[in-house]
Amino acid sequence: MEGKEEVGEVIGKPAALILIPLILLTVCGVAYTRWNDTVVMRGVVETGEAEVCITCKLCLGCPRPTCELSQDRQTLYVEWKEIRPCSKLLVVLVLKNTGTVPVNLFKPEVGIAPSSMSRYFEVHRLLLGPFKTRSEVDTETCKIKDKFEKNLPIGLCCLPRLPMQLDPGQKALLIILIEFKGLCWKVMGKEAQITVELDYRVWCMEG
């Protein structure tokens, strides 16, 4: 019996010497594979939509102008005929952030064609707001409600610093006054095409 035990011990030691390195290599191989596998993560990131539209327009002038909105309601086209010295055009627009993210609102681009006549026009642009409630601005007449005439909110007493931050659902009032300064008979009674294009960008902390 003692001889058999000694044989078992002799046979067991070489086997252990062979098995231990094999086990270590297997474990290390599994660990190396686990830490070096390429992990692919798939997902959908929604960034929101930035959009400002003209919800109401009011055009007054002498001679009377014709005003139309573009299909996306971000550009106003004005046709002004029979222009005379000191003719004035008043455009009032209600702008609304119809997107899902805040935007920075800048003064709009006002283009006048033909370009040869642009130097005879004087353009003034004014942005007021933002307005958080529907009651502050009448979307049908593009006017500020009467209850604000005597006690104007801070947004109207103090001109806002541009760019104006406009959160989703908020509105702003854009007022444009255009005056014809031409006195030369060559430009009197002519026709001008005026475009008002909104200028806004996605809001960020740095402005």
Side-chain angles (χ1 to χ4, degrees):
M1 295 296 291
E2 293 180 358
K4 290 183 180 180
E5 291 179 358
E6 291 178 358
V7 172
E9 290 178 0
V10 172
I11 295 175
K13 289 180 180 179
L17 293 175
I18 296 173
L19 289 175
I20 289 173
L22 289 176
I23 293 171
L24 289 175
L25 287 174
T26 303
V27 172
C28 292
V30 171
Y32 177 81
T33 303
R34 181 176 296 276
W35 285 104
N36 287 272
D37 277 348
T38 301
V39 179
V40 179
M41 300 181 66
R42 303 182 185 276
V44 178
V45 178
E46 296 184 1
T47 57
E49 181 182 7
E51 183 180 58
V52 176
C53 293
I54 301 171
T55 60
C56 177
K57 62 179 176 62
L58 178 66
C59 300
L60 300 174
C62 183
R64 189 176 181 84
T66 302
C67 299
E68 292 184 2
L69 287 174
S70 60
Q71 188 173 1
D72 60 4
R73 304 186 71 85
Q74 296 191 16
T75 305
L76 177 72
Y77 300 100
V78 182
E79 188 176 1
W80 205 11
K81 298 180 179 180
E82 298 295 327
I83 304 173
R84 302 292 178 182
C86 298
S87 293
K88 293 181 177 65
L89 172 65
L90 177 65
V91 176
V92 181
L93 303 175
V94 175
L95 314 180
K96 181 180 180 180
N97 184 346
T98 55
T100 58
V101 295
V103 298
N104 279 338
L105 192 61
F106 297 82
K107 286 186 177 180
E109 297 292 333
V110 179
I112 298 176
S115 57
S116 58
M117 291 184 62
S118 61
R119 58 177 177 159
Y120 299 109
F121 290 89
E122 190 173 287
V123 181
H124 303 276
R125 296 165 296 177
L126 180 64
L127 267 173
L128 298 176
F131 300 99
K132 298 181 180 180
T133 62
R134 296 181 179 179
S135 60
E136 296 180 16
V137 177
D138 191 332
T139 56
E140 294 182 0
T141 62
C142 300
K143 296 180 180 179
I144 300 170
K145 291 295 183 70
D146 294 337
K147 68 177 182 178
F148 290 98
E149 290 182 356
K150 295 181 180 179
N151 186 19
L152 295 176
I154 295 177
L156 297 180
C157 294
C158 304
L159 297 181
R161 180 182 176 183
L162 297 181
M164 177 195 298
Q165 180 181 335
L166 203 63
D167 294 335
Q170 288 186 336
K171 297 177 182 179
L173 195 65
L174 172 61
I175 302 172
I176 301 175
L177 177 63
I178 302 176
E179 186 175 359
F180 182 67
K181 296 289 188 179
L183 297 176
C184 179
W185 63 271
K186 291 183 179 180
V187 294
M188 292 183 186
K190 297 293 184 178
E191 178 182 340
Q193 289 79 39
I194 302 171
T195 58
V196 179
E197 187 174 357
L198 301 186
D199 184 8
Y200 61 90
R201 299 155 208 174
V202 176
W203 178 87
C204 64
M205 290 292 292
E206 298 180 355

